[in-house]
Amino acid sequence: MDSSSGPDEEMPAFFVGQHESNRNIPVTRPISDQAHQWGYDMITTPITTSSFHSRVLQLLSSASSSGDSTITIPPLTPSDTSLAPRDNINQLLAVSSPWIDLCSPDPLISRISRDVLNMEAAYASFCGFGNLIVSGPNLHHDMAHGDGLAQYARAVKEALDVASYISIAILLPMVDHPSTDVEEVTGGLARLGRQEPMGHEDGSKRENGNLRKGDLFGTWDVWHTIRTVCKYNQRLFVALTVPRHIPPQSVQDRWFAEPLRLLSLPSTTFLKNKSGYPVLSKAHQALIYRYMRLRYPPWLVLTDVGPIQDENLRNSSPSEATNLLSPSLSVDTVVSESSNDFPTPNEARTRQTTSDFRPRSKDPTPHLSYIRYLQRNQPGLSIIERFASGYQDYLQAPLQPLTENLESVTYEVFEKDPVKYEWYERAIAAALRDWHGKDIPGSGPNGSIVLAIVGAGRGPLVTRALQACMETGIRISLWAVEKNPNAYVLLQRYNQERWGEKVNVIWSDMRTWKGPFFGATDATTNEKQDPSSATYETYGKVDIIISELLGSFGDNELSPECLDGVQHVLNPTHGISIPGIYSAHLTPIACPRIHGIIKRSLETDSNAAETPYVVMLHGFSNLSTVPTSSGSKPVIFKAWEFQHPFRTTKPPSSDSDPNDNLFAENILNDIKDGNTRTSNNNNNQHNTRYARLSFPCPVRGACDGLAGYFETTLYGEVELSTRPDQIDSKSPDMTSWFPLFFPLKMGDQFGMNG
């Protein structure tokens, strides 16, 4: 099906910021205004000044010479920061001082660094900043993977407590490699730390006695430790620096699952096209497009792509000051109605577009112009993406249609599925043709084939059954059984207004329904029946039972129990059930955002981690995968299956119990007699299932739970599947079911090839 975007389709807006890693003075109003004029949505600013840095260094110098380790940093003064609450504070991203060393083995240095971070976080929160970027630990610091990392994590946790209204993003490289470490900052406290506590006379970078080498998942290990210590705080995020060489798909998948606040794109990440303009590789473009489809897309921050100066801006317009084309006339620049306000998401989406990336002459922001070009040319949303908008990673309790009467709006959501009911119609038509082809008379009047839609809801399957009847030209007697009294009213109205009184509508629980009764007039043929005939107002059998009782895990909405309960009305010789077979499937996943939500829910609901949830899994990573020519695919194993109608005998096997068939016969007798609703639990033992599965996991990680899917054969070769590796071939663009997520209360961490 067509997945291209329509003219009015809302595409993800790119919010783009500018960052200078060596910016050592806070951003003034003229600089932020100029950044806005050029089309940036935000700009980073340090919180404190070089004066504050010098004051801290002087305090440490005095403490070192006097041997006093009890020094404290006095409160900030006006010379320590030029920031203050102002109306454009939401245009700024606060950045903590990069010269602190939270991992230092020197207790004095680590304490002073922690105090600086707390002071800056508290003051940024006071000024109204919503976000603070904190440089991550140097991954190849001597202490970065031991006590130092624990110190760093505790410092971040403390800062979150001190600034209770601010979100903190930890800036880390996407991959762990010695070349990704940030160069030592001038005046950094790491140089002042005493060497004795490090424990390495040669100053080598070691972990457990071995030189630490580059590691694709080393950065993730660091991040996982930090957020675990911080107890999955909902205000803690990760910010990633995208390298020039894109990491493997497994690394991209892992970060896709994390709470990502921003992507930093340094100038070194860009290539030059043949015209000399900065561009990104196809792999980088694919990564950005994918990450921008997250429920909360990350911001894109261009790093060290050129400074923004404020000289002469107060007395001249931007075009005069830069001798450039006015940005307000450029198709590559976003300008809102007010020069003091950043564009709204709607303004960002409705900006002018061009078909090709052709930067204007003397463009002061070619990197930004290119990002805007990518925004205009991003791929359209698929049918599933459009349907699931707003539902991504949103936890929902599974429906309980057996015990609760659904509302009309719930039925309506399912009826919007473009695939499910078309596939059902195909299955019904195929079953009718097969029955008719065998020259077997139906159980209805004059040999008509009796169809029963059990759990008819608002009647979508009734409509499809009538269409299948018209398509095949085969005569049917159609019954619709529904226990919801509200839906029953609507079914009767539809029978009058849409179906021409061709449907026998019954208000009943399917498990207690006695079957079709054939009175004086058959609703399908409209033929008068002889009152003296044996079938007059007697209960007959159903030839084809059609249901849509499957849940996200197949049997989790009691489909087996319901269909067992109605099987007593099914033709015992040739009866057909649609669906006939369905199976449940599992795979382990990492979904830390969902894990964090459930972890916080435990404060008010002790069963939150023991409840399965229906969720449109989006920000997650498959942990068990196998390589393919196009990357990798998840390993998904079948746990169990159910077949309808229930049979009395089991397939022969070496470990079969001779009593199994006797037990099955007893169960079938209960089914035939309609006794499946009795208090005797023994009559449901045949629906008990369990499975023990082992999944290969090629890279280390932490399992937050199991994703549950299902597959079903409706009839013949007509199949539906929610498995991500099968849905495109069996039921593409189907939207009726989201996966079922089984959370793990304590997350299971494992190593390579676990």
Side-chain angles (χ1 to χ4, degrees), residues 486-683:
N486 307 307
Y488 174 65
V489 175
L490 189 61
L491 288 172
Q492 293 177 91
R493 177 170 288 114
Y494 283 174
N495 197 24
Q496 296 170 359
E497 299 175 355
R498 298 184 180 183
W499 303 326
E501 300 285 354
K502 295 180 179 179
V503 183
N504 301 281
V505 180
I506 304 297
W507 177 40
S508 173
D509 185 313
M510 69 181 74
R511 296 169 298 171
T512 59
W513 182 44
K514 296 182 179 180
F517 58 89
F518 304 107
T521 303
D522 178 63
T524 303
T525 62
N526 207 34
E527 296 177 356
K528 296 293 183 180
Q529 302 297 306
D530 182 1
S532 62
S533 67
T535 60
Y536 182 74
E537 290 193 351
T538 61
Y539 295 101
K541 294 295 182 180
V542 174
D543 298 317
I544 303 176
I545 287 180
I546 305 161
S547 64
E548 50 176 331
L549 305 172
L550 298 180
S552 295
F553 199 49
D555 61 292
N556 63 292
E557 293 182 10
L558 301 182
S559 175
E561 289 78 4
C562 291
L563 292 180
D564 282 354
V566 77
Q567 185 172 323
H568 65 279
V569 306
L570 187 64
N571 184 314
T573 306
H574 305 290
I576 296 172
S577 174
I578 298 178
I581 301 175
Y582 45 90
S583 53
H585 302 251
L586 292 166
T587 188
I589 63 171
C591 49
R593 279 172 291 202
I594 293 177
H595 181 77
I597 293 171
I598 296 174
K599 194 176 184 70
R600 291 187 291 273
S601 298
L602 287 171
E603 298 175 2
T604 56
D605 181 5
S606 60
N607 295 320
E610 299 174 3
T611 302
Y613 298 92
V614 173
V615 55
M616 175 55 185
L617 293 172
H618 185 63
F620 76 101
S621 173
N622 288 301
L623 298 175
S624 181
T625 60
V626 292
T628 65
S629 58
S630 58
S632 64
K633 69 175 183 179
V635 175
I636 305 174
F637 289 147
K638 183 171 76 171
W640 50 71
E641 75 173 24
F642 293 87
Q643 183 172 348
H644 299 283
F646 175 72
R647 305 299 181 185
T648 59
T649 58
K650 295 174 58 178
S653 62
S654 58
D655 59 348
S656 60
D657 188 329
N659 293 321
D660 283 348
N661 288 339
L662 177 60
F663 169 75
E665 289 179 2
N666 293 333
I667 295 298
L668 189 59
N669 289 333
D670 282 339
I671 291 175
K672 289 179 178 179
D673 296 336
N675 293 332
T676 58
R677 296 192 65 184
T678 65
S679 59
N680 181 11
N681 292 328
N682 289 332
N683 61 13

Side-chain angles (χ1 to χ4, degrees), residues 432-490:
L432 288 174
R433 291 191 185 97
D434 285 354
W435 190 291
H436 186 71
K438 295 176 182 177
D439 199 24
I440 301 173
S443 301
N446 301 318
S448 61
I449 301 175
V450 181
L451 274 64
I453 313 296
V454 293
R458 300 200 315 177
L461 286 180
V462 176
T463 300
R464 293 291 182 167
L466 291 172
Q467 291 176 352
C469 173
M470 295 178 60
E471 175 189 342
T472 60
I474 298 173
R475 188 171 54 181
I476 66 173
S477 176
L478 185 56
W479 297 74
V481 182
E482 175 55 51
K483 74 173 184 63
N484 186 339
N486 307 307
Y488 174 65
V489 175
L490 189 61

Side-chain angles (χ1 to χ4, degrees), residues 205-313:
K205 299 169 183 178
R206 298 178 181 273
E207 179 186 12
N208 298 327
N210 298 316
L211 288 174
R212 183 171 176 79
K213 300 180 181 180
D215 183 354
L216 289 174
F217 289 91
T219 305
W220 180 84
D221 287 338
V222 168
W223 161 249
H224 182 61
T225 298
I226 295 170
R227 60 99 172 277
T228 302
V229 170
C230 295
K231 298 181 179 179
Y232 287 77
N233 192 299
Q234 60 184 337
R235 292 184 290 113
L236 181 64
F237 298 86
V238 65
L240 294 178
T241 298
V242 181
R244 185 179 182 88
H245 300 289
I246 209 73
Q249 190 65 46
S250 58
V251 177
Q252 299 179 47
D253 293 345
R254 182 64 56 83
W255 287 119
F256 184 78
E258 299 295 343
L260 183 60
R261 175 62 85 198
L262 64 86
L263 292 175
S264 173
L265 299 170
S267 58
T268 54
T269 301
F270 289 81
L271 307 173
K272 294 288 187 181
N273 65 10
K274 59 184 179 182
S275 300
Y277 293 110
V279 295
L280 292 172
S281 69
K282 294 291 186 182
H284 285 83
Q285 294 177 43
L287 181 143
I288 290 176
Y289 286 144
R290 183 189 181 199
Y291 279 31
M292 295 307 291
R293 296 297 170 86
L294 285 166
R295 185 179 184 186
Y296 302 106
W299 303 326
L300 304 177
V301 176
L302 301 177
T303 303
D304 297 330
V305 295
I308 298 176
Q309 304 292 342
D310 67 345
E311 297 149 285
N312 303 319
L313 290 178

